Amino acid sequence: MAGPQDVRTYATELDLAGRRVVVFGGEAKVLRHLARLLGTGAQITVVAPAVCPAIEAMARAGRLRWHARSWQPDDLAGAWYAIASTSGDDADIAEAAEKHQVFCTRADTEAVRTPAPDHPGAGVALIGAGPGDPDLITVRGRELLRAADAVLVDRLAPLELLADLRPEVEIIDAAKLPYSRTTAQKQLNELLVDRARAGQFVVRLKGGDPYVFGCGFEEVTACAEAGVSVTVVPGVSSALAAPALAGVPVTYRGMTQEVTIVSGHLAPDQERSLVDWAALGQRKGTLVILMGVTHVARTTELLMRAGRDATTPALVIQDAATRFQRVLTSTLAGLADDCRTHHVTPPAVFVIGPTAGLKVPHAAAQPEPCPSS
């Protein structure tokens, strides 16, 4: 039930689909290479003693394999392509690749291009990159990203957007793994301010929209208090994009006139939770839950106890707007069990309400004109 995107060729125009590619190195600078590889259909293996959180997240999700150790010449056996992006072993890896007759790119020999001619000057741009497909970033967001001197990138931002960055652009992994490794928000704020004060144009690249559960306002406030110029570029939020990509509207005439978007990252009965789940259980409109995988069982239980019909249609969209997208249809009562059975993992968006049961007919009749706003 996925909506796969077209498989792309790598920047070298090599057809890597189904072929083994080995990437040596696990620092954030490797992300620019993985950005180009992820859409090719290659079988990616990363070899590095340690990796940044974004690479760890991709390994957990099965997007690539990670061997947590130093490189060995035998790592190139059976490989079709290799990338050496380490802190000092690139030349040795390239020599070993030549002996194995494996194509190899060395990061330490990449040409340095001149700065972007339309450099906006020192400051920060907070850019929402959309839900997953790199083509869903706004035109303004793409323009500012290309002018960046440094990019702080989130785990959920489309990494393909890093592929076109100039080689000298610093990439900083600002990933926050659920219930695992994370970069403190205070540290991220300081990085933005420090790089801008040093004269750089810094892009904070986020998945979705920076003001929808994205800590965007905290970062803007930190910049403003430090006297740093900051630009906010809104993005397409997964809260609305994921249902649309699954073929489901969040509103529909005569069926629902309200949409509620909540975060489910805290257990519903935890003191720090600010969501009134009891009130949501009494409503009839569409409920969209972000970051709700871990607590889906408790959440659905409370909604039903508060009055929401157990047969209410529900669905979950995992990895929306990527070639890994999965859509699982269910009911409020069966949602938690279905998520366990089908091994649903973050990032996922839940849609609960009457519209979650809608399906696009094969031969749709001409719709009535929508009323003007």
Side-chain angles (χ1 to χ4, degrees):
M1 295 180 290
Q5 298 178 343
D6 292 335
V7 172
R8 309 181 182 113
T9 58
Y10 189 56
T12 56
E13 300 304 321
L14 297 175
D15 181 4
L16 300 179
R19 302 184 188 274
R20 184 168 180 264
V21 175
V22 186
V23 178
F24 298 96
E27 298 178 11
K29 62 183 181 180
V30 175
L31 295 177
R32 73 170 74 247
H33 299 287
L34 292 176
R36 300 186 184 111
L37 288 170
L38 286 172
T40 65
Q43 297 177 1
I44 305 170
T45 298
V46 172
V47 180
V51 295
C52 63
I55 297 177
E56 181 181 338
M58 285 184 274
R60 287 184 180 182
R63 307 286 184 264
L64 52 81
R65 297 182 63 186
W66 170 33
H67 295 322
R69 55 171 172 76
S70 299
W71 82 279
Q72 302 169 1
D74 287 346
D75 290 326
L76 292 159
W80 206 79
Y81 191 79
I83 294 174
S85 186
T86 66
S87 298
D89 295 330
D90 290 4
D92 292 338
I93 293 171
E95 183 179 351
E98 185 174 357
K99 292 180 179 178
H100 280 80
Q101 296 185 322
V102 175
F103 293 107
C104 182
T105 294
R106 285 175 57 177
D108 62 354
T109 59
E110 288 183 321
V112 176
R113 293 174 240 162
T114 57
D118 55 348
H119 193 282
V124 172
L126 184 63
I127 299 175
D133 187 332
D135 291 337
L136 294 180
I137 190 174
T138 63
V139 173
R140 177 62 170 160
R142 190 180 290 273
E143 289 175 348
L144 292 178
L145 180 60
R146 286 174 176 168
D149 297 309
V151 178
L152 277 72
V153 60
D154 267 357
R155 177 177 65 92
L156 297 181
L159 293 183
E160 292 91 338
L161 293 172
L162 304 179
D164 295 329
L165 296 178
R166 291 169 286 124
E168 67 270 25
V169 174
E170 180 184 15
I171 298 175
I172 301 171
D173 183 6
K176 296 182 178 181
L177 303 186
Y179 312 101
S180 185
R181 296 169 61 188
T182 184
T183 305
Q185 187 60 50
K186 184 176 184 294
Q187 181 183 355
L188 296 179
N189 296 347
E190 292 172 351
L191 283 169
L192 293 172
V193 171
D194 291 345
R195 294 296 195 280
R197 282 179 169 172
Q200 293 186 331
F201 179 61
V202 188
V203 165
R204 177 71 168 102
L205 189 64
K206 294 172 170 285
D209 181 274
Y211 276 13
V212 180
F213 303 129
C215 298
F217 191 70
E218 297 177 43
E219 293 164 354
V220 168
T221 300
C223 291
E225 290 177 346
V228 171
S229 173
V230 60
T231 300
V232 177
V233 181
V236 180
S237 173
S238 62
L240 301 178
L245 293 168
V248 169
V250 292
T251 64
Y252 192 74
R253 275 180 295 158
M255 182 175 288
T256 179
Q257 298 175 349
E258 63 178 15
V259 182
T260 305
I261 302 172
V262 301
S263 170
H265 74 288
L266 295 176
D269 49 2
Q270 188 175 120
E271 289 185 3
R272 291 192 299 125
S273 176
L274 303 177
V275 179
D276 190 342
W277 293 101
L280 292 175
Q282 298 174 24
R283 306 190 74 89
K284 304 298 182 183
T286 303
L287 175 61
V288 178
I289 305 175
L290 305 183
M291 299 176 286
V293 173
T294 300
H295 304 296
V296 61
R298 184 63 177 144
T299 297
T300 53
E301 177 186 344
L302 285 180
L303 289 172
M304 289 185 290
R305 185 186 302 173
R308 196 84 174 203
D309 194 318
T311 63
T312 300
L315 61 83
V316 57
I317 309 101
Q318 178 181 320
D319 293 311
T322 74
R323 66 191 187 94
F324 303 105
Q325 177 176 306
R326 291 198 301 156
V327 179
L328 174 65
T329 59
S330 185
T331 63
L332 182 59
L335 187 58
D337 286 340
D338 286 341
C339 285
R340 281 192 294 268
T341 300
H342 295 277
H343 307 290
V344 172
T345 59
V349 176
F350 294 93
V351 183
I352 299 170
T355 63
L358 294 176
K359 295 182 179 178
V360 178
H362 293 294
Q366 184 68 27
E368 300 178 14
C370 292
S372 58
S373 56

